[in-house]
Amino acid sequence: MKTIVKFLQSLLIVDPVAPEIIRAKAYEMWKAQGGGDINPDANWQAAIEQLQLTEKLSRRNFILELIRLVIASLSTGATIFGGSILFLNFSQGENRLITERFTRSIEQLGNKEETIRIGGIYALERIANDSPRDGWTIMEVLSSFIRGKQSIKGQDTSQLPTIRTDAQAALTVIDRRQIDLETDRQYLDLSLTNLREANLVGAQLDRVKLNSSILTKADLRGANLNLANLSNANLDGANLTKAQLDRANLIQANLSNTNLSAANLNEANLNKADLSDAILDGAILTNASLGNTNLTSSILIGANLRGATLSKANLSKADLSGADLYQVNLAGANLNKTDLRKIKNLNITQIKQAQNWLLAIYDSEIDLLLKAESA
C-alpha cells in the first residue's frame, strides 16, 4: 500500500519545463493567437503558467484514471474474495446437508417397516445423483443391505422364497447408477445372496460378484455381466437373452434350462458348468472354455464356437446344427446323438477326437465319408 502511495505522490510533483520547450510552446501560442512580432520572451511567464497548468491537468486526469482503475481492481478482488467465502460457506453447508440426509437414510434402512426402508433406499439414490462423488459409497451400502437381507448362509437353498421387495428396490437403484464414474477396480459384491426371480433386465452388473448366489428364474435379459463372477451360482431357468457375459466366470454354475439366446459369452469360463437343456441358439462362445461341461439336450443352433474348448464336454442329444466349430477342441467330448448337420468349419480330424462320434447326426456327405473311413 505504501508503494502505491509513493508512486501517486511522484506523479503529483511537476518537473521543471525545459526553456527550449517553453520557447517552442510560446511560439505555437503566438501563432495560434494570430501572429505578430516574434517575441517569445514577452510571453515567457504566460507560457510557463499555461504549460504548468496543462501538465498538472494532464497528470491529474491520468492519476484520477489510475485511481479509478486501482479502486476497480480492489473492488473486483474484494468481490472475488467475498464470492470465494460465500462459495466455501455454501459448499460446507451443502456437505453438511448431504451428511445429514445420508445419516437419516441409513437409519431408515434399519427400520422395521418395509415402506420406510424402501423410502430410505430411494433417498440414497437421490443423494447419489446430487453428489456423484458419494455415489459409489452408496452403491456399496445398498449391496451390503441386499447381502444382509438376502443372505443364503445356513439356509436350505431349495426352499428359498422370491426376492424381497426392498431388496429388489435396492437392485433397481444399483441398476440405475452412474457407471461412467466407476473404475475397473470397483465391483459390487452380491455373493451368497438370494436373488430368486429378481428383475435385472438390462442391469449394469459388470465385474459384479455373484458367486454362489441364487438367481433361479431371474430376468437378466440384456444385462451387462462382463467379467462378472458367477462361479457356483444357480441360474436354473433364468432368462439371459442377449446378456453380455464377456470373460465372465461361470465355473460350475448351474445354467440348466436357461435362455442364453444371442448372449455374448466370448472367452467365458464355463468349465464344469451345467448347461443341460439350455437354449444357446445364436450365442457367441468364441474362445470360451467348456471343458467337462454338461450340454445334454442343449440347443446351440447357429452358435459361434470358434476357438472354443469342448474337451470332455457332454454333448449328448445337443443340437449344434449350423454352428461354427472352427478350431474347436472336441477331444473326449461325448457326441452321442449330437446334431451336427449343416455345421460350419468342422473337419474329420476334429470329429474323430471325440467319443461316440459314430453316433452323431451328420449331413449325408459327411456321414458317408465317416462310415467309409471306419469300415
Side-chain angles (χ1 to χ4, degrees):
M1 189 67 184
K2 291 181 180 179
T3 304
I4 294 173
V5 171
K6 288 182 179 179
F7 174 68
L8 294 175
Q9 286 176 344
S10 67
L11 293 173
L12 291 170
I13 299 172
V14 180
D15 295 329
V17 183
E20 59 271 18
I21 294 176
I22 292 176
R23 290 179 183 277
K25 291 288 184 181
Y27 178 75
E28 289 177 5
M29 289 169 57
W30 171 79
K31 291 286 288 182
Q33 292 170 2
D37 294 334
I38 300 176
N39 185 11
D41 294 334
N43 297 317
W44 186 274
Q45 190 62 37
I48 289 175
E49 292 176 358
Q50 186 162 346
L51 287 173
Q52 286 179 338
L53 180 60
T54 303
E55 289 293 325
K56 285 181 180 180
L57 288 173
S58 178
R59 288 191 177 220
R60 186 180 300 167
N61 290 336
F62 172 74
I63 290 168
L64 289 173
E65 190 64 31
L66 181 62
I67 291 171
R68 279 197 294 269
L69 180 62
V70 170
I71 292 172
S73 299
L74 292 173
S75 176
T76 302
T79 302
I80 293 172
F81 179 74
S84 300
I85 296 298
L86 288 173
F87 176 75
L88 289 173
N89 289 336
F90 174 76
S91 298
Q92 290 174 356
E94 188 179 28
N95 290 336
R96 193 181 304 112
L97 179 60
I98 288 173
T99 301
E100 292 173 357
R101 288 168 60 193
F102 183 81
T103 303
R104 287 197 301 270
S105 300
I106 295 297
E107 290 174 353
Q108 286 180 285
L109 291 184
N111 198 284
K112 293 181 180 180
E113 295 292 330
E114 184 178 70
T115 53
I116 295 176
R117 292 198 300 271
I118 293 172
I121 290 166
Y122 289 120
L124 285 171
E125 181 181 27
R126 287 193 294 273
I127 295 170
N129 292 331
D130 294 339
S131 180
R133 67 179 180 179
D134 298 314
W136 181 250
T137 300
I138 289 169
M139 295 308 121
E140 288 184 318
V141 168
L142 293 177
S143 299
S144 178
F145 173 80
I146 294 169
R147 291 198 307 275
K149 294 294 181 181
Q150 299 293 129
S151 176
I152 62 172
K153 292 179 181 179
Q155 296 192 47
D156 181 2
T157 56
S158 63
Q159 300 295 323
L160 291 173
T162 57
I163 186 171
R164 296 164 57 119
T165 305
D166 52 358
Q168 178 62 67
L171 278 177
T172 301
V173 171
I174 287 172
D175 176 32
R176 294 196 296 236
R177 73 191 188 281
Q178 300 179 48
I179 60 171
D180 56 322
L181 301 176
E182 299 173 12
T183 67
D184 292 340
R185 295 184 178 181
Q186 292 175 318
Y187 56 85
L188 298 168
D189 187 358
L190 295 170
S191 57
L192 292 163
T193 55
N194 173 25
L195 303 177
R196 184 168 174 259
E197 296 185 28
N199 182 358
L200 291 162
V201 177
Q204 302 294 334
L205 298 171
D206 289 349
R207 302 180 304 278
V208 69
K209 289 181 67 175
L210 284 161
N211 47 299
S212 301
S213 291
I214 306 298
L215 289 144
T216 52
K217 297 182 180 179
D219 195 343
L220 289 149
R221 286 173 295 164
N224 290 317
L225 290 153
N226 299 315
L227 294 166
N229 185 353
L230 288 150
S231 58
N232 295 293
N234 187 350
L235 292 124
D236 182 26
N239 191 343
L240 288 148
T241 304
K242 295 183 179 180
Q244 298 297 313
L245 291 149
D246 185 75
R247 292 167 290 166
N249 180 358
L250 290 150
I251 296 174
Q252 293 186 326
N254 181 3
L255 293 156
S256 59
N257 301 295
T258 56
N259 188 345
L260 285 153
S261 298
N264 177 18
L265 291 148
N266 174 59
E267 295 186 23
N269 192 339
L270 291 145
N271 290 329
K272 297 182 180 180
D274 185 0
L275 283 155
S276 56
D277 296 299
I279 301 172
L280 290 142
D281 56 304
I284 299 171
L285 290 147
T286 48
N287 300 307
S289 298
L290 293 144
N292 292 289
T293 300
N294 182 9
L295 287 154
T296 305
S297 301
S298 59
I299 300 172
L300 291 119
I301 299 172
N304 186 349
L305 289 145
R306 293 172 72 90
T309 299
L310 286 159
S311 57
K312 296 183 180 181
N314 188 355
L315 291 158
S316 176
K317 299 180 182 178
D319 189 349
L320 280 85
S321 56
D324 189 345
L325 297 179
Y326 178 74
Q327 293 187 341
V328 168
N329 183 354
L330 289 168
N334 182 6
L335 297 181
N336 180 34
K337 297 182 180 179
T338 304
D339 193 339
L340 295 170
R341 288 175 294 185
K342 297 181 181 179
I343 212 76
K344 299 175 184 176
N345 301 311
L346 181 65
N347 58 49
I348 294 174
T349 302
Q350 287 173 276
I351 294 171
K352 294 180 74 173
Q353 289 178 342
Q355 295 179 356
N356 299 317
W357 55 270
L358 280 170
L359 301 176
I361 304 168
Y362 306 98
D363 292 320
S364 56
E365 293 180 2
I366 297 178
D367 190 41
L368 289 172
L369 187 59
L370 288 169
K371 287 180 179 178
E373 285 204 7
S374 62

